[in-house]
Amino acid sequence: MIKIVVGGQIDKQAIAELAKKIGGDSVSIDVKSDLDAAMAMKSGQYDYYIGACNTGGGGALAMAMALLGSDLCSTVSMPGSIKDESFMLEEIQKGKKAFGFTAQHAEVVVPILIREFIK
């Protein structure tokens, strides 16, 4: 089972519900504050972090970047721009563990990430 924590500033519960719907019994999803989510990632309690904010990188990933380092974090969407699926898959394959995006893009981004996490 893949353990995912949802942080970020916007729509955490909706993102968690979407992730659970897509991942089903293959995922365990928890919602936490940014700081608690990043600390839990750092301590190895979760496999992946996902979060949303208005910019995709600020409030979505700030604590994760501070605690995990930028080499484990990736912004996969920002206002008016969603990275393509191949970019997201490459970031996961490179070992990135924390992903930020704008809440408006959750319906596109979350399915791609979750499907790749559970492969």
Side-chain angles (χ1 to χ4, degrees), residues 6-17 31-34 51-52:
V6 179
Q9 295 295 311
I10 299 174
D11 294 343
K12 288 188 244 197
Q13 194 59 46
I15 290 166
E17 290 170 13
V31 176
K32 296 186 177 288
S33 71
D34 293 357

Side-chain angles (χ1 to χ4, degrees), residues 61-62 64-75 91 96-98:
L61 284 176
M65 285 187 147
L67 293 175
L68 303 175
S70 61
D71 57 323
L72 292 180
C73 300
S74 180
T75 298
E91 292 291 87
K96 305 276 180 156
K97 299 291 182 184

Side-chain angles (χ1 to χ4, degrees), residues 20-110:
K20 183 63 178 169
K21 179 180 173 186
I22 295 160
D25 293 336
S26 298
V27 297
S28 169
I29 311 285
D30 289 320
V31 176
K32 296 186 177 288
S33 71
D34 293 357
L35 180 57
D36 289 342
M39 288 174 50
M41 279 294 298
K42 187 161 181 76
S43 71
Q45 295 175 40
Y46 294 92
D47 300 302
Y48 294 99
Y49 168 106
I50 58 175
C53 70
N54 285 325
T55 65
L61 284 176
M63 291 310 301
M65 285 187 147
L67 293 175
L68 303 175
S70 61
D71 57 323
L72 292 180
C73 300
S74 180
T75 298
V76 295
S77 89
M78 38 196 118
S81 174
I82 302 174
K83 300 287 186 178
D84 62 28
E85 184 171 348
S86 64
F87 175 86
M88 292 183 223
L89 301 181
E90 286 175 20
E91 292 291 87
I92 295 166
Q93 291 165 1
K94 287 178 186 175
K96 305 276 180 156
K97 299 291 182 184
F99 298 87
F101 47 90
T102 61
Q104 297 84 353
H105 296 147
E107 294 285 333
V108 174
V109 171
V110 173

